[in-house]
Amino acid sequence: MAADQNTDLARSTHPMPLVFGAGAAIGILGGMIGLGGAEFRLPLLISLFGFAALSAVILNKAMSLVVVLVALPARLAAVPASALAAHWTIAVNLLAGSLIGAWAGATWAVRMRSSTLYKVLAALMVLMAAALLVTHVTTVGTLSLPVWAQVPLGVVAGFGIGVVAAIMGVAGGELLIPTIVLLFGVDIKTAGSLSLLVSLPTMLVAFARYSRDGSFAVLGANRRFTVVMAAGSIVGAMLGGLLVGVFSDLVLIPVLAVILLVSSVKLARHD
């Protein structure tokens, strides 16, 4: 780990109702657009709760893992396992790259200087804002590529997504869903479920790499904080799911993209 890469191992002193409420707010935002909301949680962990960049990433990854584990059974109920089994080669194709990418991303994150990591996170949040707009405001088509081109592109895309997910502590659905639709021509509902199947092992690999570094101790020092915010995120995601359609995507998505862009500017200026 870089010499100046500070990690906040002290226990958070923020009141648990605030922690739960913040998690719920993030969950509602994510639930309304069909995502876990981790991309919005990360800047909150840094700006509101004062965690250092790497600590925030690891905490975000832990909460994202919990949200994915809860969301997976619900998605399997919506999209039968038999429908997903028909596309198992897509998951394997992406995993061939994402597992390596997750290990590499986590390795780079723990070795980056603190100031560099803040700037990288800022740049990735701009990427997430763009992915959000592309996925929810525009219609994602398909490239209709032959199998010999799909496979290597799937591995490369998976690697990039694995890197981004590991460095930001997110599940990566914002990037996986449009990639699956674009490269493999799968409908967006099935793509959402496939993204969870790819995200889960990818996140576990990133966790395994982070666990080898001393910064992983932030989870032990903030176990209650992590559990309470994760619980808030799950409750919020359920509420957000009930609010789907209340706000038009043409209004909601640009607002959320602006939130990500403003957060990215703040992170870029962070010392």
Side-chain angles (χ1 to χ4, degrees):
M1 184 168 57
D4 68 340
Q5 176 65 74
N6 297 319
T7 51
D8 185 355
L9 299 183
R11 288 181 175 82
S12 172
T13 57
H14 293 86
M16 289 302 107
L18 173 63
V19 175
F20 183 90
I26 296 302
I28 289 173
L29 287 176
M32 286 194 292
I33 59 176
L35 297 171
E39 63 276 12
F40 303 104
R41 189 190 304 118
L42 179 61
L44 202 65
L45 288 169
I46 295 172
S47 60
L48 178 60
F49 295 105
F51 287 102
L54 185 57
S55 293
V57 167
I58 294 172
L59 288 168
N60 201 33
K61 178 66 76 177
M63 295 176 211
S64 297
L65 179 59
V66 172
V67 172
V68 166
L69 286 171
V70 172
L72 190 55
R75 291 294 305 199
L76 289 177
V79 180
S82 57
L84 295 181
H87 300 290
W88 67 271
T89 54
I90 296 175
V92 171
N93 191 174
L94 290 168
L95 281 169
S98 69
L99 297 180
I100 300 173
W103 188 272
T107 299
W108 294 334
V110 299
R111 291 178 179 176
M112 282 183 200
R113 298 176 68 88
S114 182
S115 57
T116 302
L117 182 54
Y118 281 117
K119 289 179 174 57
V120 169
L121 291 174
L124 292 180
M125 291 189 72
V126 174
L127 173 65
M128 288 297 181
L132 197 62
L133 290 170
V134 169
T135 305
H136 294 273
V137 176
T138 64
T139 300
V140 180
T142 176
L143 294 178
S144 299
L145 297 172
V147 174
W148 63 263
Q150 283 181 345
V151 172
L153 284 176
V155 173
V156 171
F159 178 85
I161 293 169
V163 169
V164 172
I167 292 178
M168 292 190 73
V170 300
E174 302 87 339
L175 301 176
L176 278 169
I177 293 173
T179 297
I180 293 171
V181 173
L182 185 68
L183 278 183
F184 302 102
V186 176
D187 67 275
I188 197 163
K189 186 176 181 180
T190 302
S193 295
L194 283 172
S195 74
L196 290 177
L197 294 179
V198 175
S199 293
L200 185 56
T202 301
M203 294 170 74
L204 290 174
V205 167
F207 249 124
R209 175 60 187 88
Y210 280 128
S211 69
R212 297 178 60 185
D213 190 85
S215 58
F216 198 69
V218 69
L219 286 177
N222 292 277
R223 187 179 297 108
R224 187 184 179 202
F225 177 96
T226 304
V227 170
V228 171
M229 182 169 271
S233 297
I234 292 169
V235 171
M238 293 178 179
L239 292 175
L242 297 175
L243 295 174
V244 171
V246 173
F247 299 99
S248 169
D249 278 1
L250 294 177
V251 175
L252 181 62
I253 299 303
V255 170
L256 295 180
V258 168
I259 292 174
L260 286 175
L261 292 175
V262 171
S263 298
S264 71
V265 172
K266 291 183 178 180
L267 286 184
R269 294 176 176 175
H270 205 293
D271 294 327

